[in-house]
Amino acid sequence: MKKTIENKACCIAPTPNLIVSCRDREGRNNALAVGFASNVSIEPAMVMVGIVPERFSYHMIKESGEFIINLPAKGFEKEYYYLGSKSGKDEDKFEVLHLEWTDGEKVNAPMLSACPVAIECRVTTSLQPGSHELFFASVEAVHCEEEYLDNDGNIDWAKISLL
Ligand SMILES: Cc1cc2nc3c(=O)[nH]c(=O)nc-3n(C[C@H](O)[C@H](O)[C@H](O)COP(=O)(O)O)c2cc1C
């Protein structure tokens, strides 16, 4: 028999384990763990990430209107939880974790080299219905390691062990 529980928050599960990376006006890179995210449109291709305004990454995304969603694979747990618990306010997480990155091709943000999939995003609008500001963004480019592509050039999700 089902029981009604007290805690109503975060009742949709599982949430994805994503890393959102961004850059400020001074060229400083930062990244955080994000679970509030979704596909929101097929045509045009659009996604959404929810960021709490207190996060250091928030002002970067707000100012630049650009970010990259990196999908980490298994084996990246240590880095993922570090990015999700320490703040760029206090330290350069890229330096501490020795993260390798390359510049996005379409947006001004870093792509994490260790993550097999990177999605370049440009904010089109945002809404703040509650704790998180929801940034809706067009998908400007999707990059995936060649070994995870199928014969048609699409991502074969079964080949990737996502974190
Ligand atoms: C599994 C997990 C999921 C998280 N999801 C979100 C999220 O969706 N939105 C958010 O703003 N913070 C989320 N966080 C918290 C941030 O990643 C965390 O506060 C981080 O230290 C912020 O970094 P920053 O201050 O450098 O931006 C999550 C943390 C973890 C561990």
Side-chain angles (χ1 to χ4, degrees):
M1 193 179 82
K2 290 189 183 71
K3 286 197 168 183
T4 306
I5 62 165
E6 289 301 318
N7 184 4
K8 293 184 283 186
C10 297
C11 47
I12 296 179
T15 49
N17 293 319
L18 309 176
I19 298 170
V20 169
S21 50
C22 47
R23 183 174 286 157
D24 69 11
R25 284 199 195 106
E26 286 71 45
R28 181 171 167 185
N29 293 329
N30 195 44
L32 80 167
V34 164
F36 281 40
S38 181
N39 296 305
V40 294
S41 167
I42 293 173
E43 185 52 54
M46 291 187 70
V47 292
M48 177 281 292
V49 296
I51 308 290
V52 176
E54 285 71 30
R55 310 293 185 235
F56 189 64
S57 306
Y58 174 86
H59 85 275
M60 295 182 165
I61 296 173
K62 202 74 183 163
E63 281 167 18
S64 70
E66 297 181 336
F67 60 89
I68 292 180
I69 300 176
N70 304 270
L71 277 58
K74 290 210 166 71
F76 210 61
E77 289 80 358
K78 180 183 71 96
E79 291 83 353
Y80 183 74
Y81 288 106
Y82 195 92
L83 294 169
S85 57
K86 302 284 182 180
S87 178
K89 260 186 223 125
D90 307 316
E91 62 185 42
D92 182 339
K93 292 189 267 188
F94 275 58
E95 213 169 273
V96 175
L97 292 170
H98 305 292
L99 294 180
E100 289 184 16
W101 54 275
T102 54
D103 278 327
E105 290 174 8
K106 305 279 184 185
V107 307
N108 186 22
M111 279 195 282
L112 301 188
S113 308
C115 294
V117 178
I119 304 163
E120 298 195 50
C121 304
R122 184 163 293 129
V123 176
T124 57
T125 188
S126 74
L127 283 174
Q128 195 175 349
S131 57
H132 292 56
E133 181 156 340
L134 310 180
F135 290 100
F136 294 89
S138 59
V139 174
E140 297 296 319
V142 179
H143 309 281
C144 179
E145 290 294 337
E146 207 171 349
E147 62 185 291
Y148 301 122
L149 298 180
D150 65 19
N151 293 335
D152 298 322
N154 293 314
I155 299 176
D156 184 346
W157 294 105
K159 287 185 183 166
I160 314 181
S161 257
L162 289 175
L163 194 153

